[in-house]
Amino acid sequence: DTIAIASSGYPCYRNILSALGCHLANVPINEEFKLTANELQEEIIRRRESNATPLKGLILSSPSNPTGSMLTPEELKELCLLCENEGIQFLSDEIYHGISYGKQEATALTYSSKAMVINSFSKYYSMSGWRLGWLVIPEGLIDPINSLQQNMFINAPTISQTAALKCWDDDTLKELEKHVEKYSASRKVIQEELMKIKELDPKNIAPADGGFYVYIDLGEENVAKGFGSVAMCNALLEEEHVAFTPGTDFEDPNGNLGDRRFRISYAGGIETAQSAMERFHRFWPSWVERVQKAKI
């Protein structure tokens, strides 16, 4: 089976699907760093005209890791309808729901009875180490999913389930909303500091609608042979002790964008974000100089 994923997306999708023997269709994201019904329709038409294997599934996260982009309710609705009309099983990864910044969130369950929805206690509920989540599926998939569950993990740990019951207490929810406020403040710091770097095109900075990541494309001007985002992140770590993640994990390995893009996480706190961006500013002029020398 051939499964569609966004060309910029969570690397485990690609790895797990490959391990299961599935074929991958890396669908290019648009200028807003999104995969919408428009991009999926183009892939469907392209495959049809070239007699390629039709798509059987789509896995997509919104808000996205690594881009932070989030589908609008209308965009999600159009995607759900397209998948139903084309017989594509849609798995909507909504693990970052609850962490968004002013734009309206939406779930695929609102628009489709055939979509699968995955969610977790790891992100909004800050329980990443407890390995607990949930899956909402169409009735026709209950038996096969139950068979997989019984043979792979049986059930989530009892202690994790017991701890998670506190997540919906009023005090807990108040605390979790404070977490989102901190993410929002850290996000603002990073976005404002990036806008001060004149060599970075604002169009190459993903919108960061949700989650806790900012994704940046260095552009051709700020990379050279041997001096891409991997080298930049290595140098930044060694020289300024700041860890950014190069795009090689997230991008289509058949393309060249992995070594041009990088991700900044702001889950570590406001002071951490401020310190990291100060160091990045200190580092940046030397990086530009290295790239310019490499191009001579």
Side-chain angles (χ1 to χ4, degrees):
D1 289 346
T2 301
I3 311 300
I5 58 174
S7 59
S8 303
Y10 184 48
C12 288
Y13 299 157
R14 185 175 292 112
N15 297 336
I16 292 171
L17 290 168
S18 297
L20 291 172
C22 296
H23 299 287
L24 298 177
N26 289 277
V27 182
I29 57 175
N30 62 23
E31 293 182 353
E32 295 181 310
F33 291 81
K34 296 179 182 182
L35 192 168
T36 69
N38 292 332
E39 289 71 46
L40 185 62
Q41 182 70 70
E42 289 177 6
E43 178 66 15
I44 291 169
I45 294 172
R46 185 191 70 79
R47 302 183 76 83
R48 189 172 291 151
E49 292 179 345
S50 62
N51 292 318
T53 307
L55 299 176
K56 285 293 188 72
L58 166 69
I59 301 180
L60 185 67
S61 60
S62 177
S64 165
N65 175 13
T67 69
S69 62
M70 184 170 69
L71 297 177
T72 66
E74 185 61 27
E75 287 171 334
L76 184 58
K77 179 181 180 180
E78 291 173 355
L79 196 60
C80 287
L81 292 175
L82 178 60
C83 285
E84 288 195 9
N85 291 337
E86 294 290 338
I88 297 171
Q89 178 63 65
F90 180 28
L91 196 161
S92 179
D93 183 347
E94 301 175 3
I95 195 171
Y96 288 97
H97 269 210
I99 307 175
S100 60
Y101 311 102
K103 294 187 177 180
Q104 184 180 354
E105 296 180 356
T107 173
L109 297 175
T110 303
Y111 310 112
S112 174
S113 61
K114 297 180 179 179
M116 303 170 65
V117 172
I118 188 170
N119 213 318
S120 171
F121 288 87
S122 294
K123 307 303 179 184
Y124 176 76
Y125 296 105
S126 301
M127 291 182 66
S128 55
W130 296 80
R131 319 316 300 165
L132 188 66
W134 66 92
L135 184 65
V136 183
I137 57 176
E139 188 173 353
L141 292 177
I142 291 176
D143 287 343
I145 293 294
N146 187 49
S147 296
L148 288 173
Q149 174 185 322
Q150 289 298 313
N151 286 281
M152 295 179 70
F153 59 90
I154 302 179
N155 64 271
T158 302
I159 191 171
S160 298
Q161 296 185 61
T162 303
L165 292 174
K166 300 294 290 183
C167 284
W168 297 288
D169 288 357
D170 290 342
D171 290 345
T172 305
L173 292 172
K174 289 179 182 178
E175 178 64 28
L176 293 173
E177 284 302 305
K178 291 180 181 178
H179 291 191
V180 177
E181 291 174 7
K182 291 179 182 178
Y183 299 148
S184 180
S186 298
R187 169 181 175 267
K188 183 178 180 181
V189 166
I190 293 169
Q191 289 179 321
E192 289 179 349
E193 292 302 315
L194 287 173
M195 293 301 291
K196 295 177 183 177
I197 300 176
K198 65 180 181 1
E199 292 85 0
L200 293 179
D201 186 340
K203 294 180 180 179
N204 287 341
I205 302 174
D209 300 321
F212 33 68
Y213 308 113
V214 178
Y215 200 52
I216 302 101
D217 189 328
L218 288 167
E220 290 294 338
E221 307 82 7
N222 299 308
V223 297
K225 186 175 181 180
F227 291 85
S229 61
V230 173
M232 188 199 76
C233 289
N234 283 336
L236 182 63
L237 182 61
E238 291 291 334
E239 298 169 24
E240 295 289 349
H241 309 294
V242 174
F244 291 168
T245 306
T248 46
D249 273 351
F250 307 111
E251 294 293 329
D252 178 359
N254 296 314
N256 63 353
L257 292 175
D259 200 27
R260 213 176 75 179
R261 294 176 172 176
F262 66 100
R263 187 192 75 177
I264 302 175
S265 170
Y266 48 89
I270 302 170
E271 292 182 1
T272 298
Q274 291 171 333
S275 177
M277 295 310 294
E278 288 173 4
R279 297 182 189 198
F280 185 51
H281 272 292
R282 189 165 63 206
F283 166 85
W284 180 254
S286 71
W287 174 254
V288 173
E289 183 179 349
R290 290 174 229 190
V291 169
Q292 291 174 344
K293 287 181 178 179
K295 289 184 175 182
I296 297 175

